[in-house]
Amino acid sequence: MWLGPEEVLLAGALWVTERANPFFLLQRRRGHGKGGGLTGLLVGTLDVVLDSSARVAPYRILHQTQDSQVYWAVACGSSRKEITKHWEWLENNLLQTLSIFDNEEDITTFVKGKIHGIIAEENKNEQPQSEEDPGKFKEAELKMRKQFGMPEVEKLVNYYSCSYWKGRVPRQGWLYLTVNHLCFYSFLLGKEVTLVIQWVDVTQLEKNATLLFPECIKVSTRDSELYFSMFLNINETFKLMEQLANIAMRQLLDNESFLQDKSLPKPRKPLKNISALKRDLDARAKNECYRATFRLPKDECLDGHTDCTLWTPFNKMHIPGQMFVSNNYICFASKAEEACHLIIPLREVTIVEKADSSSVLPSPLSISTKSKMTFFFANLKDRDFLVQRISDFLQRTPSKKPCSSDREWKWNLADPGCEEVPELPSSSPLAVSPTSALSSRPVNFCAGEVPTASQGLLKLFRRNSEELLGPKGAKEKMKEESWNIHFFEYGRGMCMYRTAKTRELVQKGIPENLRGELWLLFSGAWNEMVTHPGYYADLVEKSMGKYNLATEEIERDLHRSMPEHPAFQNELGIAALRRVLTAYAFRNPTIGYCQAMNIVTSVLLLYCNEEEAFWLLVALCERMLPDYYNTRVVGALVDQGIFEELTREYLPQLSEKMQDLGVISTISLSWFLTLFLSVMPFESAVVIVDCFFYEGIKFILQVSLAILDANMEKLLQCCDEGEAMTILGRYLDNVVNRQSVSPPIPHLHALLTSGDDPPLEIDIFELIKTSYEKFSNLKADDIEQMRFKQRLKVIQSLEDTAKKSVVRAVSSDIGFSIEELEELYVVFKAKYLMSCYWGNNRAAAARRDQSLPYLEQYRIDMEQFKELFISLTPWSCGAHTPVLAGRLFRLLDENRDSLINFKEFVTGMSGMYHGDLTEKLKVLYKLHLPPALNPEETESALEATSYFTEDVTTEETQEDKGRRNENGPEKEEKGTSPQDYKYYLRMWAKEKESKKETIKDLPKMSQEQFIELCKTLYNMFSEDPVEQELYHAIATVASLLLRIGEVGKKFSNRPVRKSEDCKANNTQDPVSEEESPTSEQSQNSAVEQQPQADHEDKTCDDAQPEKTQQENQTLGDGSGEGQGSPLQLLSDDETKDDMSMSSYSMVSTGSLQCEDIADDTVLVGCEGSSSAARFRGNLHSRRSLA
């Protein structure tokens, strides 16, 4: 490419001049091309180690003048062809012009101006997106593609200088991290190291330091462990590798995320020395952290953040921290953990104004909300720009009606028997409650069918309890008063200051009247609900009356959801649960419905109305417990791995014992999936849910550790898994909530409590307090890091399970060994994944359905199959191989969806590798019949297709027809008798029996199809040492088959002597025309004579209808059923292909056409024409005598 002229002082250092003229030099860098010796090796090594190969192309053109010692680089090229093109342009366009100049300075000025003009013209034609990445990075990307053979769609994210440890020897080189691959290249004194690893194959990433290796990154795959060290910034490199591996795992887990990750957003401002893709991935990581910290919707994108201070009125201090601004929210997080968190939705903001600066409080900013709260920020850098950004976002924010300040509970009951519940007064004059927005528009879904409450079911079904008037009622009132005081000091609603005081109140238990409201706030579900008004009602309307697999599972589990609670012992609670679960299944069909969702949703409905419960379920499934409720419960398995890791760290004595017993994998799924709701008494488990919505999965893990710690001594003495499960079950069954005002609900695990000694009760609040005291140093960031590590392990383990399942399913019918099948599966899957991220369209990713069986999840199309076939087939046919691959694909694609799965793929491969000679010949034969043979590949393939689809079915013998007619009524009778199960068992047994296809089952082959078969056979032996001998053999066998077919055809025509009399005086028999010497004439005559043959058949049919019927019955068992022959009297539908004769008459003698036939080749069947004529003359004379 052309370069902006750069000054070069030493033109000969490390370069060799290949061409020269008075004004220009063309040079090649030492170490490139042929030769070079020791100097070339040294230069090549320096280029790799110092990365000069990323900046210096192997060829360049310099401008020079005779008296000057200064050279100017004007062009460079990665290949001789590219640089020669530039050189020729200079010679043709500039040399003559430059010779006119007298002053050398004028020559140099002219050349520099001309080159700048060329570059400007090229840049004008280029797309703007090509300027996203800096020039140095582009050159590195080009080098990466050339070095590793990557296509242009494979994007480089970043590259780093490092050492790869091969044994105990470090190889200095360059590590290239692309979207889908990890690549490494090193060249040291002639020794080259090239590594290419797909991210989907990475099973473990670790950053560690050992005595043998310095601080290094360990990359593990199923087959190897690779160590990379000596990074300038190892933390940045490792973080990027984690991101890319995590994206790859998401691709394996969920196709939708794969499609999103494939197209990344463009940066606003290009930065130096950083690729656009790297900036986008950094922004993606920041967005994920931002959303997780403040529990924001999944589509919220961080615009920027800045350091500042926040004035907190509750303690009258300026707290240092960071302000985060995004499209719809302003958030604040203090530097001291849990000092203060704040979320201000822009929909609530009324005024943003700059206050007067002072030396004590520089650059202040005040933000006022609809709830009369004002937030005061200070020490803002670039305050004017920040205010402008917030103003821009405010203008895009849709205006909302202000929420009512009163907390109203309204009911919409169709049941006249239900009493109206009075409205509850507001707890605070400044309160803005999440439920107040709904109170103005009561929800009524399908009121004609069942009554629906617009509030939590617990209010409806609370039995009159004396506890409300006793000490427990007083305790509940005290809790409510504590929260009211907190609301007064810290605010209420979304804009509440969230501090350590808030967490203390949550740990003491949320009052039942406030539980639904605070769950919505702490989970972030309130934000999604108010920004999507009417969304749930629309979903319910769309989903009602529709049935699929998810709705069937929901119906099955409805009455298993807290059956002991009175709210779900009647149609009101069951109907509400059905609507919420069905609506979510329609919102998120990839999850649909998973067991345990019914238990969690039933508890949400006790404290929230339907719409609130729906949005809480959304927050739970999609943000707080990601991937928990899919078909493979990947998220729960990931957190189970974290739990095992934490057990090893905090309870090392117990860890090994629990591992031996296999208890953790059993208990953790039931604990995590249902948030302890299925293993603890309801009154206690709901307190766990309170803390979970505030703290997240961190709290579930620390409570689980506290439970194991409390039972350590007993668990260490266990002998088997059952005993350990019994101990933990009894412990959890006796975790009680003595402060609950609700009457106790019978717990299913009470059956585990046995023995004479009364069980020891454990107070839930003491358990929570212990968990914070012993395990509170768990950090959310650490858990996210551990989640990544475990996700790699879990998803790769699931992929291994899928591979074993698929291999086991196909191994019984395939000739390959288990090891060979596993290797083929890896190759097959890699080809599928390659099409996903290198294909031009997204159809490859779209065709993978996680709900399908493992065998059907990976499927490839014809182009991918051709690539695999060419690299794996033992039948190499040279240039004919892709044609053969396409035919085999069509043969294997039984359901005609243009995709084949792994079983179909290995079935085809097995036939070629492990079938006996007969099986291989059958496969080869089928490859030249429809549907394998394309209609375009032969002239009469369309006729042959119609022949095989219509006529083959009619070629069953009279005996078969009779047997079918006899069995027909019996089958109908059996079908109408469901009691006769023995018949169905016999029928299923027959279906399971493997029906082996015999040679007799194969359809007949037409003339052109046999020609294609002969071509394929010849191509198989091309470039063989005995190619000529093999070709002579093929020609000889083909000729013999033709002669046999001709003779068989004559004999098959003899019984129909009388039917020939009606056309004895007609023109020449079409059969004789098929025996012309050249194949081209043969094909033309066959096509021309077909209408004539049809007309003759019809004439005979009209003349002798009775004879024709008898003769057709006589010929039913014969093999001579060629449609084009006038010797047979068939219907019009059966006279479509005059090429098919008898089962032997596949092709006429002279029709074998092969352009590559040698001059010395002799076709054996050349006399067939004359002998056939003599035979036909005798036949006519005998018939005339008769």
Side-chain angles (χ1 to χ4, degrees):
M1 62 181 180
W2 297 107
L3 300 175
E6 298 176 358
E7 192 173 330
V8 177
L9 295 177
L10 297 174
L14 305 180
W15 293 86
V16 179
T17 300
E18 294 194 339
R19 300 173 73 173
N21 60 44
F23 302 104
F24 298 101
L25 297 175
L26 191 157
Q27 295 185 326
R28 172 179 56 84
R29 190 163 178 82
R30 295 182 187 273
H32 291 273
K34 295 181 180 180
L38 181 60
T39 307
L41 287 178
L42 289 172
V43 174
T45 301
L46 286 172
D47 282 349
V48 172
V49 173
L50 301 178
D51 190 32
S52 55
S53 59
R55 296 190 297 272
V56 181
Y59 298 93
R60 71 179 181 181
I61 297 176
L62 301 181
H63 165 64
Q64 65 162 3
T65 53
Q66 292 180 354
D67 298 332
S68 174
Q69 298 298 316
V70 179
Y71 295 82
W72 299 87
V74 296
C76 68
S78 58
S79 65
R80 187 178 296 275
K81 181 179 179 182
E82 181 184 0
I83 205 68
T84 303
K85 182 180 177 183
H86 290 333
W87 177 263
E88 290 174 351
W89 187 91
L90 291 172
E91 285 190 327
N92 296 332
N93 294 278
L94 287 188
L95 278 187
Q96 189 174 358
T97 306
L98 295 178
S99 62
I100 300 173
F101 288 93
D102 296 329
N103 190 344
E104 292 185 353
E105 290 184 5
D106 293 343
I107 293 175
T108 302
T109 303
F110 179 81
V111 169
K112 290 166 67 175
K114 192 68 177 176
I115 298 300
H116 280 302
I118 294 172
I119 294 173
E121 188 67 26
E122 286 183 349
N123 289 342
K124 186 173 70 175
N125 297 330
E126 285 183 358
Q127 296 180 355
Q129 64 181 13
S130 64
E131 297 300 323
E132 286 181 3
D133 298 330
K136 177 183 174 183
F137 187 86
K138 286 183 188 175
E139 292 173 2
E141 187 169 37
L142 288 172
K143 180 195 170 190
M144 179 273 297
R145 288 184 185 143
K146 180 181 177 183
Q147 194 71 54
F148 303 103
M150 300 288 181
E152 288 191 10
V153 292
E154 183 70 1
K155 299 296 183 183
L156 178 65
V157 180
N158 213 348
Y159 65 106
Y160 303 92
S161 173
C162 69
S163 292
Y164 162 61
W165 291 80
K166 192 169 184 180
R168 296 191 178 186
V169 181
R171 300 295 181 94
Q172 184 67 26
W174 288 87
L175 181 71
Y176 298 88
L177 304 181
T178 72
V179 175
N180 302 295
H181 295 85
L182 178 152
C183 307
F184 177 83
Y185 178 75
S186 171
F187 179 84
L188 290 176
L189 299 178
K191 292 188 177 180
E192 195 175 45
V193 176
T194 304
L195 295 174
V196 178
I197 299 169
Q198 289 186 340
W199 288 117
V200 291
D201 293 332
V202 173
T203 57
Q204 192 174 12
L205 276 177
E206 285 183 302
K207 184 177 65 174
N208 51 27
T210 62
L211 187 62
L212 180 61
F213 300 111
E215 190 175 23
C216 66
I217 295 175
K218 175 185 172 185
V219 181
S220 301
T221 65
R222 291 178 177 83
D223 306 320
S224 60
E225 293 181 351
L226 310 173
Y227 293 88
F228 301 93
S229 67
M230 298 185 185
F231 292 93
L232 290 176
N233 190 341
I234 192 169
N235 292 326
E236 177 194 332
T237 309
F238 184 71
K239 185 178 179 182
L240 180 58
M241 292 169 78
E242 279 189 331
Q243 275 187 284
L244 293 169
N246 200 32
I247 288 174
M249 293 306 104
R250 299 299 309 177
Q251 293 168 3
L252 288 176
L253 181 65
D254 184 358
N255 279 343
E256 289 188 10
S257 66
F258 180 92
L259 296 177
Q260 291 166 5
D261 291 335
K262 190 173 179 182
S263 55
L264 297 169
K266 295 181 180 179
R268 288 195 184 94
K269 297 178 182 178
L271 301 175
K272 292 182 179 179
N273 301 328
I274 302 176
S275 72
L277 209 52
K278 173 69 166 61
R279 294 195 300 272
D280 290 333
L281 287 173
D282 289 343
R284 186 186 295 273
K286 288 179 181 178
N287 284 335
E288 290 174 357
C289 182
Y290 170 63
R291 291 192 293 262
T293 303
F294 299 103
R295 307 276 171 80
L296 299 178
K298 293 180 73 175
D299 56 353
E300 195 66 22
C301 293
L302 178 65
D303 186 69
H305 59 89
T306 182
D307 292 335
C308 67
T309 58
L310 172 66
W311 169 256
T312 49
F314 50 87
N315 60 2
K316 296 181 172 53
M317 290 177 62
H318 289 280
I319 299 179
Q322 280 191 318
M323 174 194 284
F324 301 85
V325 180
S326 60
N327 300 357
N328 300 294
Y329 299 90
I330 300 171
C331 302
F332 176 85
S334 59
K335 290 185 178 178
E337 190 179 4
E338 294 186 353
C340 182
H341 270 214
L342 179 65
I343 302 171
I344 308 172
L346 291 182
R347 63 178 180 271
E348 295 288 331
V349 173
T350 55
I351 301 173
V352 178
E353 59 182 351
K354 294 181 282 188
D356 296 333
S357 297
S358 66
S359 57
V360 180
L361 210 61
S363 303
L365 178 70
S366 70
I367 299 176
S368 302
T369 66
K370 297 173 183 176
S371 57
K372 312 301 181 186
M373 295 181 72
T374 302
F375 304 96
F376 204 70
F377 298 92
N379 292 286
L380 288 163
K381 298 177 183 177
D382 202 358
R383 180 181 61 168
D384 294 339
F385 175 76
L386 179 65
V387 171
Q388 184 60 45
R389 293 300 296 163
I390 294 174
S391 300
D392 293 343
F393 290 136
L394 281 172
Q395 289 176 0
R396 301 176 204 164
T397 304
S399 58
K400 299 280 183 183
K401 294 181 180 179
C403 297
S404 170
S405 61
D406 293 333
R407 182 181 176 88
E408 297 177 337
W409 302 103
K410 291 193 176 181
W411 299 82
N412 184 15
L413 301 174
D415 186 358
C418 293
E419 296 180 359
E420 184 177 352
V421 179
E423 296 177 3
L424 298 177
S426 170
S427 302
S428 169
L430 299 178
V432 179
S433 169
T435 51
S436 57
L438 291 178
S439 61
S440 60
R441 48 180 184 84
V443 184
N444 180 17
F445 303 117
C446 308
E449 298 179 11
V450 290
T452 305
S454 62
Q455 204 186 33
L457 296 174
L458 199 63
K459 295 288 184 182
L460 275 177
F461 295 95
R462 173 178 286 167
R463 291 168 287 187
N464 294 327
S465 174
E466 297 179 357
E467 304 289 352
L468 292 173
L469 305 175
K472 291 185 179 180
K475 183 75 172 177
E476 186 78 0
K477 291 291 184 185
M478 288 175 61
K479 284 185 184 180
E480 289 186 19
E481 191 59 33
S482 297
W483 276 98
N484 288 336
I485 294 170
H486 186 271
F487 291 149
F488 185 80
E489 292 182 1
Y490 295 85
R492 187 171 187 175
M494 210 67 220
C495 301
M496 177 199 305
Y497 293 98
R498 306 176 194 207
T499 65
K501 177 68 174 175
T502 312
R503 193 185 74 177
E504 290 175 11
L505 286 175
V506 172
Q507 290 174 25
K508 293 176 182 177
I510 298 176
E512 289 191 352
N513 289 335
L514 298 174
R515 190 160 267 149
E517 172 188 345
L518 294 176
W519 283 0
L520 286 166
L521 292 179
F522 295 149
S523 66
W526 170 245
N527 286 321
E528 292 186 281
M529 184 169 66
V530 296
T531 53
H532 295 83
Y535 178 83
Y536 173 69
D538 293 340
L539 267 184
V540 171
E541 185 178 351
K542 291 176 183 176
S543 62
M544 292 303 285
K546 295 183 180 178
Y547 299 96
N548 53 29
L549 182 62
T551 56
E552 290 178 11
E553 293 176 347
I554 290 169
E555 289 297 327
R556 189 167 60 244
D557 286 349
L558 282 177
H559 295 278
R560 304 175 188 170
S561 308
M562 296 188 69
E564 64 276 9
H565 198 285
F568 298 98
Q569 294 171 356
N570 64 83
E571 187 56 29
L572 178 63
I574 294 295
L577 183 60
R578 176 188 293 113
R579 283 190 291 272
V580 173
L581 291 174
T582 305
Y584 185 77
F586 274 79
R587 168 189 164 86
N588 192 344
T590 56
I591 291 179
Y593 171 76
C594 175
Q595 285 188 340
M597 285 173 67
N598 60 320
I599 297 173
V600 175
T601 308
S602 60
V603 174
L604 300 178
L605 281 168
L606 291 176
Y607 298 98
C608 310
N609 66 33
E610 285 184 32
E611 186 172 13
E612 294 167 347
F614 170 79
W615 287 111
L616 277 170
L617 186 63
V618 169
L620 203 69
C621 295
E622 298 176 11
R623 289 189 286 107
M624 300 191 72
L625 296 176
D627 303 321
Y628 260 60
Y629 300 103
N630 56 25
T631 53
R632 298 190 281 182
V633 292
V634 172
L637 293 173
V638 168
D639 287 345
Q640 173 186 304
I642 295 175
F643 185 42
E644 292 180 5
E645 194 172 334
L646 293 174
T647 306
R648 283 193 296 272
E649 181 180 349
Y650 290 99
L651 306 171
Q653 296 178 345
L654 188 59
S655 173
E656 189 174 347
K657 181 72 174 180
M658 298 291 282
Q659 202 71 32
D660 293 340
L661 296 176
V663 174
I664 289 184
S665 60
T666 307
I667 60 174
S668 54
L669 281 181
S670 59
W671 292 2
F672 296 166
L673 278 170
T674 63
L675 304 176
F676 288 94
L677 288 166
S678 64
V679 294
M680 261 189 202
F682 169 73
E683 300 83 7
S684 304
V686 79
V687 182
I688 299 282
V689 178
D690 291 343
C691 298
F692 165 74
F693 277 123
Y694 188 79
E695 295 274 13
I697 193 62
K698 165 181 173 287
F699 177 75
I700 299 295
L701 290 169
Q702 70 184 36
V703 167
S704 302
L705 290 171
I707 292 170
L708 291 186
D709 183 54
N711 293 276
M712 184 184 293
E713 293 183 4
K714 294 180 180 178
L715 291 172
L716 287 173
Q717 297 173 5
C718 290
C719 299
D720 55 31
E721 180 186 358
E723 187 178 354
M725 291 296 296
T726 303
I727 289 171
L728 291 171
R730 286 176 180 169
Y731 178 87
L732 291 170
D733 194 53
N734 292 289
V735 176
V736 297
N737 180 3
R738 298 187 179 94
Q739 300 178 12
S740 175
V741 294
S742 298
I745 298 171
H747 186 50
L748 298 178
H749 277 251
L751 298 173
L752 292 171
T753 305
S754 60
D756 300 330
D757 299 331
L760 179 66
E761 291 186 343
I762 302 95
D763 186 73
I764 181 63
F765 298 105
E766 286 297 321
L767 178 62
I768 291 173
K769 182 181 177 183
T770 304
S771 73
Y772 274 101
E773 289 174 352
K774 292 188 176 182
F775 309 107
S776 61
N777 56 350
L778 283 178
K779 306 296 181 188
D781 293 341
D782 295 338
I783 290 174
E784 284 304 315
Q785 185 71 23
M786 295 165 73
R787 269 182 168 173
F788 159 75
K789 179 180 174 182
Q790 294 297 329
R791 190 178 292 116
L792 276 182
K793 189 183 298 183
V794 167
I795 293 181
Q796 296 292 14
S797 174
L798 289 172
E799 289 295 311
D800 289 342
T801 302
K803 178 174 71 173
K804 291 177 182 175
S805 174
V806 170
V807 167
R808 190 167 53 248
V810 304
S811 59
S812 58
D813 305 327
I814 304 297
F816 291 109
S817 66
I818 297 294
E819 293 76 14
E820 290 171 333
L821 284 172
E822 289 181 350
E823 291 177 4
L824 283 172
Y825 181 84
V826 171
V827 174
F828 185 86
K829 175 182 165 185
K831 181 59 65 176
Y832 165 82
L833 292 174
M834 198 174 295
S835 72
C836 288
Y837 50 70
W838 284 353
N840 293 327
N841 52 39
R842 297 181 175 179
R847 63 176 175 251
R848 187 186 178 198
D849 186 354
Q850 294 280 357
S851 62
L852 293 174
Y854 288 136
L855 186 60
E856 296 290 335
Q857 286 190 11
Y858 294 117
R859 295 183 293 168
I860 60 175
D861 58 22
M862 182 179 288
E863 292 305 316
Q864 298 160 325
F865 177 78
K866 282 182 179 179
E867 294 174 15
L868 286 176
F869 182 87
I870 292 171
S871 59
L872 295 174
T873 180
W875 294 355
S876 178
C877 299
H880 193 66
T881 306
V883 177
L884 203 64
R887 293 174 185 172
L888 182 58
F889 181 88
R890 289 188 290 271
L891 181 65
L892 297 174
D893 183 20
E894 295 180 359
N895 57 357
R896 303 288 177 266
D897 61 351
S898 300
L899 297 170
I900 61 170
N901 60 27
F902 180 68
K903 183 174 183 180
E904 293 166 336
F905 169 71
V906 294
T907 300
M909 289 291 111
S910 179
M912 292 187 290
Y913 272 99
H914 296 288
D916 56 20
L917 186 58
T918 305
E919 289 297 320
K920 292 178 181 178
L921 287 173
K922 278 167 57 179
V923 172
L924 194 60
Y925 185 85
K926 287 180 182 178
L927 291 179
H928 298 83
L929 295 173
L933 198 69
N934 243 351
E936 294 81 11
E937 290 182 301
T938 60
E939 290 184 8
S940 62
L942 185 61
E943 298 172 12
T945 304
S946 64
Y947 168 69
F948 288 124
T949 53
E950 295 179 19
D951 298 340
V952 169
T953 56
T954 65
E955 289 177 359
E956 54 186 335
T957 61
Q958 297 296 329
E959 183 182 352
D960 293 334
K961 291 180 181 178
R963 191 185 304 116
R964 189 180 62 190
N965 292 335
E966 290 173 7
N967 294 340
E970 182 184 353
K971 286 187 178 179
E972 291 177 7
E973 187 180 349
K974 294 288 184 184
T976 56
S977 174
Q979 290 82 9
D980 191 4
Y981 60 90
K982 291 183 180 179
Y983 164 73
Y984 290 108
L985 288 175
R986 287 195 300 270
M987 190 170 65
W988 291 335
K990 286 181 180 178
E991 287 178 0
K992 288 192 173 183
E993 287 178 3
S994 58
K995 298 179 180 178
K996 288 193 175 182
E997 189 178 41
T998 63
I999 294 178
K1000 293 181 180 179
D1001 298 327
L1002 295 174
K1004 300 171 186 176
M1005 181 176 279
S1006 70
Q1007 171 180 326
E1008 283 77 9
Q1009 292 160 1
F1010 183 71
I1011 293 170
E1012 290 294 329
L1013 176 60
C1014 293
K1015 284 183 179 179
T1016 301
L1017 285 172
Y1018 175 65
N1019 281 311
M1020 278 188 178
F1021 303 122
S1022 62
E1023 301 182 6
D1024 193 275
V1026 289
E1027 178 181 352
Q1028 284 300 319
E1029 290 84 348
L1030 287 169
Y1031 180 66
H1032 278 282
I1034 294 170
T1036 303
V1037 172
S1039 301
L1040 287 172
L1041 284 174
L1042 301 178
R1043 296 185 65 189
I1044 293 172
E1046 290 296 334
V1047 173
K1049 180 181 62 178
K1050 309 306 180 199
F1051 281 101
S1052 65
N1053 292 335
R1054 290 182 65 181
V1056 288
R1057 193 179 307 161
K1058 291 183 180 179
S1059 64
E1060 185 70 17
D1061 294 340
C1062 67
K1063 37 186 176 314
N1065 297 322
N1066 283 349
T1067 59
Q1068 187 181 1
D1069 191 344
V1071 176
S1072 65
E1073 294 198 15
E1074 287 185 0
E1075 296 164 356
S1076 57
T1078 63
S1079 58
E1080 192 173 338
Q1081 292 173 353
S1082 166
Q1083 292 172 12
N1084 292 338
S1085 62
V1087 174
E1088 291 169 2
Q1089 289 296 326
Q1090 184 178 356
Q1092 183 180 354
D1094 290 345
H1095 176 72
E1096 290 169 357
D1097 285 351
K1098 289 179 183 178
T1099 307
C1100 286
D1101 276 341
D1102 295 336
Q1104 299 181 355
E1106 295 179 3
K1107 280 188 179 181
T1108 302
Q1109 203 170 13
Q1110 294 172 1
E1111 286 162 359
N1112 281 340
Q1113 291 176 358
T1114 306
L1115 291 172
D1117 297 331
S1119 58
E1121 296 174 324
Q1123 280 110 333
S1125 172
L1127 305 178
Q1128 283 185 337
L1129 305 175
L1130 303 175
S1131 66
D1132 291 342
D1133 291 338
E1134 294 173 317
T1135 58
K1136 293 184 178 177
D1137 190 357
D1138 59 341
M1139 302 302 173
S1140 301
M1141 304 305 167
S1142 67
S1143 58
Y1144 292 97
S1145 178
M1146 292 179 287
V1147 65
S1148 54
T1149 308
S1151 64
L1152 179 61
Q1153 54 175 339
C1154 229
E1155 298 175 1
D1156 299 328
I1157 294 180
D1159 295 334
D1160 57 348
T1161 303
V1162 178
L1163 290 180
V1164 179
C1166 291
E1167 311 107 8
S1169 175
S1170 58
S1171 62
R1174 289 196 302 271
F1175 185 86
R1176 188 164 49 252
N1178 295 334
L1179 184 64
H1180 281 298
S1181 62
R1182 273 185 293 176
R1183 286 180 180 171
S1184 60
L1185 288 174

